[in-house]
Amino acid sequence: MAVCYDNLWKMLIDKKYKKTDLISMAKISSSALAKLGRDEYVSLVVIDKICTFLNCKIEDVVTIV
């Protein structure tokens, strides 16, 4: 099984945010952003921060493939 964050990137585009906005506004690390960009696993704390920032659910951000 693998993770895919394509829905996250689409949501950022729809809301007119850049990937780097997640670092400052959602308060995640640059290494976490790099892992997201490579479709690697990140902690649920990171996903929670992103979901809180974007006001969405986990399934709106992460897809298991």
Side-chain angles (χ1 to χ4, degrees):
M1 288 196 314
V3 293
C4 179
Y5 301 103
D6 288 347
N7 292 342
L8 169 61
W9 309 132
K10 290 174 189 171
M11 186 179 301
L12 287 177
I13 291 168
D14 291 343
K15 294 186 179 222
K16 298 187 183 355
Y17 289 119
K18 297 178 183 175
K19 288 182 179 182
T20 53
D21 290 333
L22 290 175
I23 295 172
S24 59
M25 299 174 131
K27 301 196 182 347
I28 66 168
S29 67
S30 57
S31 62
L33 181 63
K35 285 182 177 184
L36 290 166
R38 294 188 302 263
D39 284 337
E40 294 179 3
Y41 291 104
V42 295
S43 72
L44 283 176
V45 172
V46 171
I47 300 297
D48 179 55
K49 287 179 180 182
I50 292 169
C51 290
T52 300
F53 166 63
L54 294 173
N55 193 29
C56 65
K57 300 177 198 170
I58 290 174
E59 58 267 20
D60 296 333
V61 173
V62 181
T63 305
I64 305 296
V65 290

